[in-house]
Amino acid sequence: MAKPEEIRREIAKRKLPYKIAKGGGSWYVYDGGAELWYTSSLCTWTFDGWSAEKWVDLIEDMAKEHNG
């Protein structure tokens, strides 16, 4: 299980412009243009099941999907 601070470190390590925050019980991506994405929800209440690296891979995939 990854922790939010591990995901934030991985985002910083990759020099991505995104941040994560919990809102309404779910985790969301914000900043770096994420507010323009179709959805910025990571569709999770906790970061169970994946490593921090895998969660950040998902964020990068979301960005790629938006940017085409």
Side-chain angles (χ1 to χ4, degrees):
M1 178 164 123
K3 296 178 182 171
E5 57 269 14
E6 293 171 327
I7 295 168
R8 289 181 181 111
R9 278 195 301 269
E10 184 65 22
I11 289 169
K13 178 181 164 187
R14 296 187 194 189
K15 299 180 181 175
L16 299 172
Y18 311 115
K19 295 180 181 155
I20 59 168
K22 195 168 193 177
S26 190
W27 283 91
Y28 292 88
V29 181
Y30 69 99
D31 276 357
E35 64 278 357
L36 301 175
W37 298 353
Y38 173 70
T39 181
S40 61
S41 175
L42 293 173
C43 299
T44 190
W45 292 284
T46 64
F47 292 110
D48 289 342
W50 287 348
S51 66
E53 292 83 3
K54 179 69 175 170
W55 283 106
V56 177
D57 288 346
L58 175 66
I59 292 168
E60 287 187 306
D61 288 345
M62 292 168 70
K64 287 177 189 171
E65 183 177 322
H66 172 75
N67 294 325

